[in-house]
């Protein structure tokens, strides 16, 4: 299930996510959390640990990996090309 929460405040988004993760603690089916980069992922991990006293029960994954896997689920060879393209695009936008 895809759940989208909108806010311009990172703190508000982290609070809502921490509350949702506390409610849904399933070690066999952890929810995926899409993160744009390592810095945001580490900050989010800290905020979840602060709210829930532990940062576990979820899988943080980069957005481009999630999108790439969703777009190429039916063609493994296309996955290699698309992943390289998404990575190159990500670096060109960041640089």
């Amino acid at each position: 299930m895809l759940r989208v929460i909108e806010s311009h405040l990172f703190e508000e988004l982290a609070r809502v996510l921490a509350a949702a993760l506390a409610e849904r603690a399933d070690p066999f089916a952890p929810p995926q959390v899409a993160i744009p980069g390592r810095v945001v992922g580490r900050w989010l991990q800290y905020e979840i640990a602060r709210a829930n006293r532990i940062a576990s029960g979820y899988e943080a994954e980069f957005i481009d990996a999630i999108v790439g896997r969703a777009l190429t689920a039916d063609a493994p060879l296309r996955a290699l090309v698309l992943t390289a393209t998404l990575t190159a695009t990500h670096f060109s936008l960041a640089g």
Side-chain angles (χ1 to χ4, degrees), residues 2-95:
L2 177 65
R3 182 175 173 194
V4 178
I5 306 294
E6 294 182 57
S7 177
H8 66 282
L9 299 173
F10 276 150
E11 293 81 8
E12 177 68 18
L13 294 171
R15 185 187 62 75
V16 172
L17 178 62
L21 290 175
E23 292 172 5
R24 185 186 165 184
D26 185 1
F28 300 110
Q32 285 185 326
V33 177
I35 57 172
R38 291 188 193 280
V39 174
V40 174
R42 184 63 68 185
W43 176 83
L44 188 59
Q45 182 182 20
Y46 172 76
E47 289 296 318
I48 291 170
R50 218 169 67 159
N52 296 346
R53 298 184 184 211
I54 189 167
S56 66
Y58 71 99
E59 290 182 9
E61 201 168 352
F62 293 122
I63 294 171
D64 57 349
I66 293 172
V67 171
R69 193 171 45 254
L71 294 176
T72 60
D74 61 339
L77 182 58
R78 199 173 347 151
L80 295 173
V81 175
L82 185 62
T83 301
T85 305
L86 285 172
T87 302
T89 304
H90 177 73
F91 282 123
S92 68
L93 292 175

